[in-house]
Amino acid sequence: MGKTSKVVVCGQVSSGKTAVLEQLIYGTHTAGSQLFATIEDIYVANIETDRGVREKIRFYDTAGLSSSSPELPKHYITLADGFVLVYSTTDRESFKRIDLLKRDIDAAREKKEVTVVAVGTKTDLKDRKVELREAQNWAQKEKVRLFEVSVRERKALMDPFVFLASKMTQPQTKSRFPALGPKVKQTSVNDS
């Protein structure tokens, strides 16, 4: 386990950000229960990556965005090692909001490599407004990994976060320096 990675969880008001984090980390969220509006909460979890290494992640659960507060504060964009863009599959506006968030992240980070996943929530509800195919097309265009989840299925909630932790903490595969081999002592052979 190396440094603690910082992940910003953001999306529209009532998209399920807090419910996902509380169910993922504590397993105590009851689907359909009423939550208070989040101003900001920080959760810390150790997540086992796909390499079997436990990584410490600090999640910043941000206030939900709305028409009166449409932008993610810039300090979140600059501090994050990764982002979870959350939308509700039952709310088309929340899906539009993650597109705006992704654009803000790209502009502020100047397209620098940052790990972003999109998480569609409330898949267990019947009044779906965002079709899976549409979300998949958007994710492919934006080069973002898409997951759809329900807080009722805790095991499925782990997938986006294991992917995120694994991607953010990948060991460096290439050295920035040329390979240094053993020094070979050169000798010259004289014919005399």
Side-chain angles (χ1 to χ4, degrees):
M1 185 162 25
K3 73 174 185 120
T4 300
S5 297
K6 296 178 277 302
V7 173
V8 173
V9 181
C10 51
Q12 184 136 328
V13 170
S14 298
S15 58
K17 301 174 298 297
T18 302
V20 165
L21 286 171
E22 288 191 354
Q23 185 66 349
L24 171 76
I25 296 169
Y26 305 120
T28 58
H29 180 75
T30 304
S33 65
Q34 204 62 349
L35 293 173
F36 295 104
T38 302
I39 296 171
E40 178 189 272
D41 282 326
I42 298 174
Y43 299 82
V44 178
N46 289 313
I47 297 181
E48 188 169 324
T49 67
D50 56 9
R51 295 179 307 281
V53 177
R54 295 184 73 75
E55 297 291 347
K56 191 173 194 176
I57 310 290
R58 179 174 288 128
F59 294 101
Y60 294 83
D61 183 11
T62 62
L65 303 176
S66 65
S67 56
S68 64
S69 177
E71 289 187 2
L72 187 65
K74 298 298 179 215
H75 72 276
Y76 285 123
I77 294 175
T78 57
L79 78 82
D81 299 310
F83 293 89
V84 178
L85 307 180
V86 180
Y87 70 96
S88 168
T89 59
T90 64
D91 182 355
R92 175 152 287 291
E93 289 304 310
S94 72
F95 183 67
K96 290 178 184 176
R97 178 76 58 196
I98 69 164
D99 184 52
L100 296 172
L101 282 166
K102 177 67 168 65
R103 290 182 200 182
D104 287 348
I105 291 165
D106 287 346
R109 301 292 291 246
E110 298 172 351
K111 291 277 190 183
K112 290 182 181 140
E113 186 78 21
V114 64
T115 305
V116 179
V117 297
V119 176
T121 61
K122 305 181 186 183
T123 58
D124 56 313
L125 301 180
K126 302 286 183 234
D127 56 339
R128 188 175 186 112
K129 301 279 190 300
V130 180
E131 293 304 318
L132 178 59
R133 172 56 55 214
E134 178 185 9
Q136 288 171 329
N137 289 341
W138 175 84
Q140 184 176 18
K141 179 184 74 145
E142 293 296 326
K143 296 178 177 69
V144 168
R145 186 71 168 268
L146 173 71
F147 297 87
E148 287 199 343
V149 299
S150 164
V151 294
R152 295 180 194 271
E153 299 171 29
R154 187 170 184 226
K155 186 162 176 36
L157 284 177
M158 294 181 187
D159 293 342
F161 296 94
V162 168
F163 173 83
L164 186 71
S166 299
K167 187 101 164 110
M168 286 187 320
T169 60
Q170 283 180 341
Q172 193 173 4
T173 56
K174 289 184 180 177
S175 172
R176 295 179 193 263
F177 299 102
L180 299 175
K183 269 191 166 176
V184 177
K185 188 175 182 180
Q186 292 185 338
T187 57
S188 60
V189 180
N190 288 340
D191 289 334
S192 24

